[in-house]
Amino acid sequence: MEIGKGLEQGDISAINTLILPGYVIIRKFDAIGKGSIHKSILTLCFELYGKKHAPAKAKCVLAGLMSYSIIGFAVTLVLGAIMMGLGSDTAGLGILGIGSILILVLNYAQYDELSDRVKKRRQEISRQFPNVVSKLALLVTSGMIMDRAWNETAASDNTELYQQMRTTAQELNNLVSPEVAYGNFISRCNTKETAKLASAILQNMSKGNAQVGKLLKEMAKEGWQERRHLAKREAERANSKLMIPTMLLLLAILVMLMVPVAMNFTSL
Protein backbone atom coordinates (compact mmCIF):
# COMPACT_ATOMS: atom_id res chain seq x y z
CA MET A 1 0.00 0.00 0.00
CA GLU A 2 1.34 3.46 -0.84
CA ILE A 3 2.19 5.87 1.97
CA GLY A 4 -0.24 8.52 0.77
CA LYS A 5 -3.09 6.09 0.35
CA GLY A 6 -2.41 4.51 3.73
CA LEU A 7 -2.50 7.88 5.47
CA GLU A 8 -5.74 8.83 3.74
CA GLN A 9 -7.31 5.65 5.10
CA GLY A 10 -5.89 6.23 8.58
CA ASP A 11 -3.57 3.21 8.38
CA ILE A 12 -0.40 4.29 10.20
CA SER A 13 1.10 0.83 9.76
CA ALA A 14 1.22 1.48 6.02
CA ILE A 15 4.16 3.86 6.57
CA ASN A 16 7.59 2.36 5.98
CA THR A 17 9.67 4.49 8.32
CA LEU A 18 12.92 3.25 6.80
CA ILE A 19 12.34 5.16 3.57
CA LEU A 20 11.26 8.44 5.19
CA PRO A 21 14.81 9.91 5.04
CA GLY A 22 14.73 9.45 1.28
CA TYR A 23 11.48 11.40 1.00
CA VAL A 24 12.98 14.21 3.06
CA ILE A 25 16.04 14.41 0.81
CA ILE A 26 13.94 14.38 -2.37
CA ARG A 27 11.83 17.17 -0.95
CA LYS A 28 14.88 19.25 0.00
CA PHE A 29 16.73 18.74 -3.27
CA ASP A 30 14.44 19.05 -6.31
CA ALA A 31 17.25 18.08 -8.70
CA ILE A 32 17.17 14.51 -7.37
CA GLY A 33 13.50 14.14 -8.29
CA LYS A 34 14.21 15.45 -11.78
CA GLY A 35 17.38 13.51 -12.51
CA SER A 36 18.02 10.73 -15.00
CA ILE A 37 17.69 7.98 -12.38
CA HIS A 38 14.22 9.18 -11.41
CA LYS A 39 13.19 9.43 -15.06
CA SER A 40 14.39 5.89 -15.70
CA ILE A 41 12.48 4.56 -12.68
CA LEU A 42 9.39 6.56 -13.68
CA THR A 43 9.43 5.01 -17.16
CA LEU A 44 9.50 1.51 -15.68
CA CYS A 45 6.76 2.33 -13.16
CA PHE A 46 4.57 3.73 -15.91
CA GLU A 47 4.49 0.32 -17.56
CA LEU A 48 3.94 -1.57 -14.31
CA TYR A 49 1.44 0.68 -12.53
CA GLY A 50 -0.08 2.94 -15.18
CA LYS A 51 0.00 6.69 -15.70
CA LYS A 52 -2.03 7.49 -12.58
CA HIS A 53 0.08 5.66 -9.99
CA ALA A 54 3.51 5.78 -11.69
CA PRO A 55 4.74 9.09 -10.16
CA ALA A 56 3.99 7.99 -6.56
CA LYS A 57 5.51 4.54 -7.12
CA ALA A 58 8.64 5.98 -8.74
CA LYS A 59 9.08 8.44 -5.87
CA CYS A 60 8.69 5.59 -3.38
CA VAL A 61 11.32 3.46 -5.15
CA LEU A 62 13.76 6.39 -5.37
CA ALA A 63 13.21 7.25 -1.70
CA GLY A 64 13.86 3.63 -0.77
CA LEU A 65 17.12 3.54 -2.74
CA MET A 66 18.35 6.72 -1.08
CA SER A 67 17.22 5.74 2.43
CA TYR A 68 18.77 2.29 2.31
CA SER A 69 22.00 3.83 0.98
CA ILE A 70 22.13 6.36 3.81
CA ILE A 71 21.33 3.78 6.49
CA GLY A 72 23.74 1.25 5.01
CA PHE A 73 26.64 3.69 4.78
CA ALA A 74 25.94 4.95 8.32
CA VAL A 75 26.02 1.42 9.74
CA THR A 76 29.18 0.62 7.74
CA LEU A 77 30.94 3.75 9.00
CA VAL A 78 29.99 3.00 12.61
CA LEU A 79 31.19 -0.60 12.43
CA GLY A 80 34.38 0.44 10.65
CA ALA A 81 35.06 3.16 13.23
CA ILE A 82 34.49 0.70 16.09
CA MET A 83 36.97 -1.79 14.63
CA MET A 84 39.55 0.95 14.07
CA GLY A 85 38.98 2.19 17.62
CA LEU A 86 39.74 -1.32 18.87
CA GLY A 87 43.06 -1.17 17.05
CA SER A 88 42.15 -3.32 14.05
CA ASP A 89 42.67 -0.88 11.18
CA THR A 90 42.72 -3.61 8.54
CA ALA A 91 39.37 -5.04 9.67
CA GLY A 92 37.90 -1.54 9.85
CA LEU A 93 39.00 -0.65 6.33
CA GLY A 94 37.77 -4.04 5.12
CA ILE A 95 34.32 -3.39 6.61
CA LEU A 96 34.20 0.04 4.99
CA GLY A 97 35.20 -1.30 1.59
CA ILE A 98 33.05 -4.45 1.57
CA GLY A 99 30.09 -2.64 3.12
CA SER A 100 30.19 0.10 0.48
CA ILE A 101 30.34 -2.44 -2.33
CA LEU A 102 27.45 -4.43 -0.84
CA ILE A 103 25.30 -1.30 -0.57
CA LEU A 104 25.92 -0.39 -4.21
CA VAL A 105 25.21 -3.96 -5.33
CA LEU A 106 22.00 -4.18 -3.30
CA ASN A 107 20.76 -0.83 -4.63
CA TYR A 108 21.45 -1.91 -8.18
CA ALA A 109 19.67 -5.20 -7.47
CA GLN A 110 16.53 -3.29 -6.42
CA TYR A 111 16.55 -1.29 -9.65
CA ASP A 112 17.36 -4.40 -11.69
CA GLU A 113 14.45 -6.24 -10.05
CA LEU A 114 12.11 -3.48 -11.24
CA SER A 115 13.59 -3.65 -14.73
CA ASP A 116 13.29 -7.44 -14.73
CA ARG A 117 9.59 -7.22 -13.84
CA VAL A 118 9.03 -4.91 -16.81
CA LYS A 119 10.91 -7.29 -19.10
CA LYS A 120 8.88 -10.29 -17.92
CA ARG A 121 5.67 -8.30 -18.35
CA ARG A 122 6.57 -7.48 -21.95
CA GLN A 123 7.37 -11.12 -22.61
CA GLU A 124 4.03 -12.14 -21.12
CA ILE A 125 2.20 -9.65 -23.35
CA SER A 126 4.08 -10.93 -26.40
CA ARG A 127 3.12 -14.52 -25.57
CA GLN A 128 -0.55 -13.56 -25.19
CA PHE A 129 -0.63 -11.50 -28.39
CA PRO A 130 -1.24 -14.33 -30.91
CA ASN A 131 -4.32 -15.50 -28.98
CA VAL A 132 -5.69 -11.96 -28.76
CA VAL A 133 -5.24 -11.06 -32.40
CA SER A 134 -6.61 -14.45 -33.50
CA LYS A 135 -9.79 -13.82 -31.48
CA LEU A 136 -10.10 -10.33 -32.91
CA ALA A 137 -9.63 -11.61 -36.45
CA LEU A 138 -12.28 -14.30 -35.95
CA LEU A 139 -14.85 -11.88 -34.53
CA VAL A 140 -14.21 -9.13 -37.07
CA THR A 141 -14.33 -11.44 -40.09
CA SER A 142 -17.60 -12.89 -38.79
CA GLY A 143 -19.17 -9.43 -39.10
CA MET A 144 -18.73 -7.91 -35.63
CA ILE A 145 -17.66 -4.25 -35.50
CA MET A 146 -14.20 -3.55 -34.10
CA ASP A 147 -15.31 -1.85 -30.87
CA ARG A 148 -17.51 -4.77 -29.89
CA ALA A 149 -14.88 -7.32 -30.98
CA TRP A 150 -12.33 -5.51 -28.81
CA ASN A 151 -14.67 -5.57 -25.81
CA GLU A 152 -15.54 -9.25 -26.29
CA THR A 153 -11.89 -10.23 -26.61
CA ALA A 154 -10.85 -8.14 -23.60
CA ALA A 155 -13.49 -9.82 -21.42
CA SER A 156 -12.48 -13.35 -22.44
CA ASP A 157 -9.44 -13.63 -20.16
CA ASN A 158 -7.80 -11.97 -17.16
CA THR A 159 -4.11 -12.00 -18.07
CA GLU A 160 -2.01 -8.86 -18.55
CA LEU A 161 -2.76 -8.03 -22.18
CA TYR A 162 -6.49 -8.59 -21.72
CA GLN A 163 -6.46 -6.26 -18.69
CA GLN A 164 -4.82 -3.53 -20.76
CA MET A 165 -7.43 -4.04 -23.45
CA ARG A 166 -10.18 -3.61 -20.85
CA THR A 167 -8.59 -0.35 -19.74
CA THR A 168 -8.67 0.86 -23.35
CA ALA A 169 -12.30 -0.25 -23.68
CA GLN A 170 -13.20 1.74 -20.56
CA GLU A 171 -11.50 4.83 -21.97
CA LEU A 172 -13.43 4.49 -25.23
CA ASN A 173 -16.68 4.05 -23.31
CA ASN A 174 -15.86 7.25 -21.41
CA LEU A 175 -15.70 9.09 -24.75
CA VAL A 176 -11.92 9.30 -24.92
CA SER A 177 -10.90 9.69 -28.55
CA PRO A 178 -9.67 6.49 -30.26
CA GLU A 179 -6.32 8.13 -31.02
CA VAL A 180 -5.72 8.87 -27.34
CA ALA A 181 -7.12 5.57 -26.05
CA TYR A 182 -5.12 3.39 -28.43
CA GLY A 183 -2.08 5.62 -27.94
CA ASN A 184 -2.29 4.97 -24.20
CA PHE A 185 -2.62 1.25 -24.97
CA ILE A 186 0.61 1.38 -26.98
CA SER A 187 2.43 3.20 -24.16
CA ARG A 188 1.20 0.85 -21.43
CA CYS A 189 2.10 -2.34 -23.28
CA ASN A 190 5.26 -1.02 -24.95
CA THR A 191 5.76 -3.94 -27.33
CA LYS A 192 6.13 -3.87 -31.09
CA GLU A 193 3.21 -6.29 -31.55
CA THR A 194 0.67 -4.22 -29.63
CA ALA A 195 1.92 -1.02 -31.27
CA LYS A 196 1.36 -2.57 -34.70
CA LEU A 197 -2.11 -3.80 -33.70
CA ALA A 198 -3.29 -0.45 -32.34
CA SER A 199 -1.80 1.46 -35.29
CA ALA A 200 -3.54 -0.88 -37.77
CA ILE A 201 -6.89 -0.40 -36.02
CA LEU A 202 -6.54 3.40 -36.06
CA GLN A 203 -5.48 3.50 -39.70
CA ASN A 204 -8.34 1.30 -40.85
CA MET A 205 -11.21 2.63 -38.72
CA SER A 206 -12.87 4.20 -41.75
CA LYS A 207 -12.53 1.02 -43.83
CA GLY A 208 -14.72 -2.06 -43.81
CA ASN A 209 -14.34 -5.19 -41.71
CA ALA A 210 -12.93 -7.11 -44.66
CA GLN A 211 -9.79 -4.97 -44.83
CA VAL A 212 -9.27 -4.92 -41.07
CA GLY A 213 -9.95 -8.66 -40.81
CA LYS A 214 -7.33 -9.38 -43.45
CA LEU A 215 -4.72 -7.35 -41.56
CA LEU A 216 -5.62 -9.10 -38.30
CA LYS A 217 -5.24 -12.51 -39.90
CA GLU A 218 -1.79 -11.57 -41.19
CA MET A 219 -0.78 -10.30 -37.75
CA ALA A 220 -2.11 -13.49 -36.14
CA LYS A 221 -0.01 -15.60 -38.51
CA GLU A 222 3.09 -13.52 -37.80
CA GLY A 223 2.33 -13.62 -34.06
CA TRP A 224 2.19 -17.42 -33.95
CA GLN A 225 5.42 -17.68 -35.92
CA GLU A 226 7.13 -15.25 -33.54
CA ARG A 227 5.79 -17.19 -30.57
CA ARG A 228 7.33 -20.41 -31.95
CA HIS A 229 10.65 -18.59 -32.47
CA LEU A 230 10.45 -17.20 -28.92
CA ALA A 231 9.82 -20.68 -27.48
CA LYS A 232 12.81 -22.00 -29.44
CA ARG A 233 15.05 -19.18 -28.15
CA GLU A 234 13.92 -19.76 -24.57
CA ALA A 235 14.66 -23.47 -24.92
CA GLU A 236 18.15 -22.66 -26.22
CA ARG A 237 18.75 -20.27 -23.31
CA ALA A 238 17.56 -22.93 -20.86
CA ASN A 239 20.00 -25.44 -22.38
CA SER A 240 22.86 -22.96 -22.11
CA LYS A 241 22.02 -22.31 -18.44
CA LEU A 242 22.11 -26.05 -17.78
CA MET A 243 25.54 -26.31 -19.38
CA ILE A 244 27.45 -24.89 -16.39
CA PRO A 245 25.81 -27.15 -13.74
CA THR A 246 26.36 -30.11 -16.05
CA MET A 247 30.04 -29.29 -16.47
CA LEU A 248 30.45 -28.83 -12.71
CA LEU A 249 28.75 -32.17 -12.09
CA LEU A 250 31.02 -33.85 -14.66
CA LEU A 251 34.07 -32.26 -13.01
CA ALA A 252 32.95 -33.53 -9.60
CA ILE A 253 32.51 -37.05 -10.99
CA LEU A 254 35.95 -36.93 -12.57
CA VAL A 255 37.48 -35.83 -9.28
CA MET A 256 35.69 -38.65 -7.43
CA LEU A 257 37.06 -41.16 -9.94
CA MET A 258 40.59 -39.79 -10.17
CA VAL A 259 41.29 -39.30 -6.44
CA PRO A 260 41.16 -43.06 -5.57
CA VAL A 261 43.30 -43.85 -8.64
CA ALA A 262 45.88 -41.25 -7.64
CA MET A 263 45.92 -42.52 -4.05
CA ASN A 264 46.55 -46.10 -5.28
CA PHE A 265 49.46 -44.92 -7.40
CA THR A 266 51.05 -43.05 -4.51
CA SER A 267 50.70 -46.07 -2.20
CA LEU A 268 52.66 -48.33 -4.60
Side-chain angles (χ1 to χ4, degrees):
M1 183 179 291
E2 299 173 13
I3 290 180
K5 187 176 180 181
L7 289 174
E8 290 176 1
Q9 296 177 352
D11 185 8
I12 304 299
S13 64
I15 303 176
N16 183 357
T17 55
L18 290 177
I19 67 174
L20 289 180
Y23 277 103
V24 174
I25 294 175
I26 293 173
R27 186 176 179 181
K28 292 290 184 181
F29 303 97
D30 293 336
I32 296 176
K34 298 177 182 178
S36 59
I37 297 177
H38 177 261
K39 290 179 180 178
S40 178
I41 294 173
L42 182 61
T43 301
L44 298 175
C45 289
F46 179 78
E47 285 192 47
L48 290 173
Y49 305 108
K51 188 175 182 180
K52 181 179 179 181
H53 302 289
K57 288 288 187 180
K59 190 174 182 180
C60 181
V61 172
L62 183 60
L65 291 175
M66 298 191 64
S67 295
Y68 297 143
S69 296
I70 293 170
I71 295 171
F73 280 120
V75 172
T76 300
L77 287 173
V78 169
L79 292 177
I82 291 174
M83 295 304 297
M84 289 181 179
L86 294 174
S88 181
D89 292 344
T90 303
L93 292 174
I95 290 174
L96 291 175
I98 295 174
S100 300
I101 293 173
L102 285 176
I103 292 167
L104 294 175
V105 170
L106 290 174
N107 273 347
Y108 176 78
Q110 291 184 62
Y111 175 82
D112 188 61
E113 190 270 340
L114 189 67
S115 179
D116 189 55
R117 286 173 58 192
V118 171
K119 183 179 179 181
K120 289 180 179 178
R121 179 179 178 273
R122 291 176 185 171
Q123 291 175 346
E124 182 182 354
I125 289 174
S126 296
R127 282 193 292 267
Q128 296 161 10
F129 180 78
N131 285 323
V132 166
V133 74
S134 296
K135 291 178 182 179
L136 282 174
L138 179 62
L139 294 174
V140 170
T141 53
S142 66
M144 188 178 293
I145 62 173
M146 176 53 69
D147 286 351
R148 185 179 174 188
W150 185 275
N151 290 335
E152 291 288 337
T153 302
S156 64
D157 205 331
N158 197 39
T159 47
E160 183 64 32
L161 181 53
Y162 293 88
Q163 292 178 15
Q164 299 306 321
M165 291 178 69
R166 284 200 293 273
T167 300
T168 301
Q170 291 172 0
E171 291 179 348
L172 292 171
N173 292 334
N174 291 331
L175 302 181
V176 176
S177 67
E179 289 78 11
V180 173
Y182 287 111
N184 292 338
F185 174 75
I186 293 173
S187 298
R188 289 195 307 272
C189 296
N190 199 20
T191 65
K192 61 180 182 180
E193 298 92 349
T194 51
K196 186 176 180 180
L197 171 63
S199 299
I201 292 174
L202 286 173
Q203 293 173 4
N204 292 275
M205 289 184 68
S206 60
K207 299 179 181 180
N209 277 12
Q211 183 67 25
V212 178
K214 183 179 179 181
L215 287 173
L216 291 175
K217 286 182 177 179
E218 292 176 356
M219 277 190 282
K221 183 178 179 180
E222 293 174 359
W224 285 113
Q225 290 177 346
E226 180 61 28
R227 183 168 174 176
R228 285 192 289 270
H229 293 323
L230 178 62
K232 184 177 179 180
R233 289 195 296 268
E234 289 180 347
E236 291 174 352
R237 282 197 294 268
N239 289 333
S240 62
K241 289 180 179 179
L242 289 173
M243 185 65 68
I244 295 177
T246 303
M247 294 299 294
L248 291 175
L249 181 61
L250 179 61
L251 181 62
I253 293 172
L254 289 174
V255 170
M256 293 173 63
L257 293 175
M258 294 300 296
V259 167
V261 174
M263 292 178 65
N264 288 333
F265 274 113
T266 56
S267 63
L268 293 178

